[in-house]
Amino acid sequence: LQMQVEFGDFKDVVHKTGFLTSSDLYKRFVPRDLLDAMRGDAWERLILGEYATHVRQSKHEARVAYMSIVTKWFLYGVTTWRVRLSNAAENPLKEDLLLGVNCDGILLLDPHTREQVGAQHSFSDIYSWAYKHSAFAFVSGTASKKKYQFETREGKEIAGTLQAYVNVLMALFTNAGSSSGGN
């Protein structure tokens, strides 16, 4: 789909063996962490084969199709920061983590696999959060509250991102309440 947007319709005479590998162009269409999984010529065959299936698709249609795919990805819309769990004795989590924030709340992720570690902490479960120049912390849980403390120099950015999401959610909630006539 990215090829369709960038180059238009597939043409046998132009988009042939060497088109992507001669200048390492294929690397723009493969996630960095997957580049070493196959040789360049294998990536090129795979990419060009898929590209050829999108002939006569407009740039707009290709963009819409691309967005319909990526919006379903688990990490779509998640902003992440590397953090180090500083209260590891109280939490059975790995010390080095990615802390992710999205429209649903806070995720803790394995920094290598990007898989979720533990439960997601939704905004309705997050009791509070705080930061200082070298740390970020939040308390989550409805019945029993659990504190998560992290070492990071990006605590201010994490807190700001959380607050921005809360502000948007509150505005949506307020607008929904006022548009329903208060009923």
Side-chain angles (χ1 to χ4, degrees), residues 1-4 6-8 10 15-16 19-21 24-31 34-35 38-55:
L1 292 168
Q2 290 174 292
M3 294 278 294
Q4 184 69 17
E6 190 164 332
F7 300 109
F10 177 86
H15 306 111
K16 56 188 176 187
F19 176 75
L20 294 174
T21 54
D24 286 342
L25 187 60
Y26 73 95
K27 291 180 179 180
R28 289 185 27 213
F29 303 100
V30 178
L34 296 178
L35 275 172
M38 292 191 293
R39 292 183 8 194
D41 59 332
W43 279 118
E44 182 176 56
R45 278 192 305 280
L46 188 68
I47 293 167
L48 291 178
E50 177 63 24
Y51 175 33
T53 68
H54 296 283
V55 173

Side-chain angles (χ1 to χ4, degrees), residues 148-162:
Y148 297 84
Q149 294 176 290
F150 306 94
E151 296 171 20
T152 179
R153 297 230 176 255
E154 298 166 314
K156 183 176 182 177
E157 289 82 10
I158 297 168
T161 302
L162 282 167

Side-chain angles (χ1 to χ4, degrees), residues 94-168:
K94 297 172 76 172
E95 284 188 12
D96 291 316
L97 297 165
L98 287 177
L99 185 145
V101 175
N102 68 5
C103 62
D104 297 319
I106 296 175
L107 299 163
L108 299 176
L109 307 164
D110 181 290
H112 305 292
T113 65
R114 304 242 195 272
E115 291 179 5
Q116 188 170 328
V117 178
Q120 178 167 335
H121 305 276
S122 68
F123 281 111
S124 61
D125 294 337
I126 297 171
Y127 183 72
S128 64
W129 67 82
Y131 74 92
K132 57 183 181 179
H133 78 283
S134 62
F136 174 78
F138 72 94
V139 177
S140 179
T142 50
S144 62
K145 295 180 179 25
K146 189 169 190 175
K147 186 172 188 176
Y148 297 84
Q149 294 176 290
F150 306 94
E151 296 171 20
T152 179
R153 297 230 176 255
E154 298 166 314
K156 183 176 182 177
E157 289 82 10
I158 297 168
T161 302
L162 282 167
Q163 189 62 55
Y165 272 116
V166 167
N167 291 347
V168 168

